[in-house]
């Protein structure tokens, strides 16, 4: 007769373990009880028993699995006699400190850096765990990680981020500073439980301590004059707008870098701080400590700033404070979630800022998107340089609206969006589409890429 035993490795790999045994019957807890192939395999192995299969919740499974591991290595785990959480914690710690896990995580980070990824996604699935990187704004499949290894990677990451290693039912967020031989990384980690386990997203911050120069971001030559005008402004509000991932932070960092001179005090309030810039007083928003955008903004007036950067205007309080700062002789940079440059006027108005105030304070609005550039090695045909995608690197498409006395007059009289658009068109204003079209014509990108980003064919 077979000894009724499943190795921890088998249990972990297949999501099954033994939950009860008596003379004739063995109960198996399965993470995926619909897996009839696995049931058949087990029935064959334990033909002399009646096999009963039931569903086991992941948290119970993980607890039992860690106990199994503990039983496997009794001498290395002195506290196992306590049973329960203590033993589980020490076993998970042990798994997380395992050299293969450290090496695996190290190789993931190195690969992500080599591929210039902005985010690492580790997602549990029904069968296995998927590793994907976000590169140039697009998620790219990298490879499958055995679920057993992925659980250990998750434990290791939680350990590094000082999160609760035992918690796998509630979302957890944290932060990791990694200094390895070949790199140093600032990582924001978000873990959320899913039906199959966990989804872990690692955002790689401060990939470079120095932002690109504004000239290197790829703004069209036609915008150089507007950008120079913005950089020479003494006070007022300058907005950079666009959806998440449109490169607003990078543009702001590059603008601040240009203004970063000893004679100016620059204070930024950010969430998160993506570039660390020497000479700028950077404040990290911390909601848990009530250090929100508006709370931080309220305080920094006493810090005697010349230039203020507000990472994001999300609410009326922050909008009003930013306006007040701009009205009292500061140059204020901020981001706003709007689709195009003129829309920011109406967004501010919706937040309770009257039109006359917007007209008085807003100096410029830059709307932008990041688009992928054609791979120059294969001219978008797909090659090894661009991993078959046809694209390599990204550039900016933008719309820049600089306030004029005529425009300020129209806005203060509450011009409607449609009429404003017509007026701008007549004045030869360049829209995001105009800029995109120029980049397609110049062979920098493709019409398909513009359609993907702007949702409209050119
Ligand atoms: Zn290529």
């Amino acid at each position: 007769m077979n000894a009724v035993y499943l190795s921890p490795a088998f249990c972990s790999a297949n999501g099954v373990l033994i939950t009860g045994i008596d003379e004739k019957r063995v109960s198996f807890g399965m993470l995926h009880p619909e897996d009839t192939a696995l049931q058949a395999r087990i029935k064959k192995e334990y033909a002399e028993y009646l096999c009963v299969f039931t569903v086991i919740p992941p948290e119970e499974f993980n607890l039992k699995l860690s106990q199994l591991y503990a039983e496997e290595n009794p001498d290395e785990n002195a506290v196992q006699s306590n049973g329960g959480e203590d033993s589980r914690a020490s076993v998970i710690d042990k798994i997380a400190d395992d050299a293969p896990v450290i090496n695996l995580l190290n190789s993931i980070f190195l690969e992500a850096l080599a591929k210039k990824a902005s985010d690492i996604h580790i997602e549990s699935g029904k069968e296995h765990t998927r590793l994907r990187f976000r590169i140039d704004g697009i998620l790219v499949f990298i490879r499958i990680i055995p679920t057993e290894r992925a659980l250990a990677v998750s434990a290791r990451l939680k350990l590094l981020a000082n999160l609760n290693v035992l918690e796998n039912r509630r979302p957890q967020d944290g932060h990791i500073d990694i200094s390895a031989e070949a790199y140093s990384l600032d990582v924001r980690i978000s873990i959320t439980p899913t039906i199959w386990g966990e989804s872990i997203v690692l955002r790689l911050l401060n990939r470079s301590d120095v932002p690109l120069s504004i000239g290197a971001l790829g703004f069209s030559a036609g915008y150089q004059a507007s950008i120079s005008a913005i950089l020479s402004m003494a006070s007022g509000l300058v907005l950079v707008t666009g959806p998440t991932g449109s490169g607003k932070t990078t543009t702001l960092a590059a603008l601040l870098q240009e203004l970063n001179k000893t004679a100016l005090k620059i204070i930024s309030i950010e969430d998160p701080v993506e570039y660390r810039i020497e000479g700028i007083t950077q404040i990290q928003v911390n909601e848990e400590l009530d250090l929100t955008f508006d709370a931080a903004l309220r305080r920094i007036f006493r810090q005697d700033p010349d230039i203020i950067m507000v990472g994001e205007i999300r609410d009326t309080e922050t909008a009003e404070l930013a306006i007040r700062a701009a009205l009292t002789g500061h140059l204020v940079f901020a981001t706003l979630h709007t689709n195009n440059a003129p829309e920011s006027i109406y967004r501010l108005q919706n937040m309770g800022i009257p039109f006359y105030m917007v007209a008085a304070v807003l100096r410029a609005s830059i709307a932008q998107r990041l688009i992928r550039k054609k791979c120059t090695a294969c001219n978008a045909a797909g090659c090894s340089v661009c991993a078959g995608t046809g694209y390599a690197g990204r550039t900016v498409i933008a719309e820049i609206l600089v306030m004029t006395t005529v425009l300020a007059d129209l806005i203060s009289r509450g011009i409607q969006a449609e009429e404003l658009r017509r007026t701008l068109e007549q004045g030869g204003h360049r829209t995001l589409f105009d800029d995109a079209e120029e980049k397609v014509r110049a062979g920098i990108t493709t019409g398909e890429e513009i359609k993907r980003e702007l949702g409209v064919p050119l």
Side-chain angles (χ1 to χ4, degrees), residues 58-109:
E59 59 269 27
E60 195 184 328
F61 177 81
N62 288 342
L63 177 62
K64 286 196 154 66
L65 181 64
S66 64
Q67 285 164 350
L68 269 183
Y69 272 111
E71 286 158 16
E72 284 268 290
N73 308 289
D75 47 354
E76 284 168 287
N77 184 32
V79 292
Q80 71 142 329
S81 53
N82 295 347
E85 294 281 285
D86 282 352
S87 109
R88 188 169 167 239
S90 76
V91 170
I92 290 176
D93 276 359
K94 187 180 159 299
I95 295 171
D97 280 332
D98 214 14
V101 175
I102 294 171
N103 290 340
L104 173 60
L105 195 56
N106 201 22
S107 73
I108 292 173
F109 281 129

Side-chain angles (χ1 to χ4, degrees), residues 375 378 382-383 386:
C375 171
C378 65
C383 68
C386 56

Side-chain angles (χ1 to χ4, degrees), residues 136-137 212-221 223-224 245-248 250-251 367-374 391-398 432 435-440 442-446 449-450 452-454:
D136 290 343
L212 291 168
S213 72
I214 194 83
L217 295 181
F219 282 97
S220 301
Y223 286 134
Q224 293 311 320
S246 56
K248 300 186 294 274
T250 305
T251 296
Q368 71 169 64
R369 299 285 189 284
L370 288 178
I371 49 153
R372 292 181 296 165
K373 291 194 285 189
K374 262 197 218 174
Y391 297 93
R394 286 192 290 181
T395 190
V396 167
I397 53 169
L432 270 173
D435 197 34
E437 212 170 21
E438 189 186 304
K439 291 222 150 112
V440 173
I444 294 167
T445 189
T446 65
E449 174 63 4
I450 298 301
R452 187 190 66 79
E453 187 54 45
L454 294 178

Side-chain angles (χ1 to χ4, degrees), residues 214-255:
I214 194 83
L217 295 181
F219 282 97
S220 301
Y223 286 134
Q224 293 311 320
S226 305
I227 291 170
S228 300
I230 289 168
L231 288 169
S232 64
M233 288 169 180
S235 68
L237 178 64
V238 176
L239 296 171
V240 181
T241 78
T244 304
S246 56
K248 300 186 294 274
T249 309
T250 305
T251 296
L252 276 177
L255 286 169

Side-chain angles (χ1 to χ4, degrees), residues 7-8 20-21 26 142 180 184 221 236 299 301 361 368-369 381 386 404 417 427:
S7 75
I21 308 168
V26 186
I142 302 298
S184 124
R299 302 203 133 267
F301 286 113
V361 96
Q368 71 169 64
R369 299 285 189 284
C386 56
T404 60

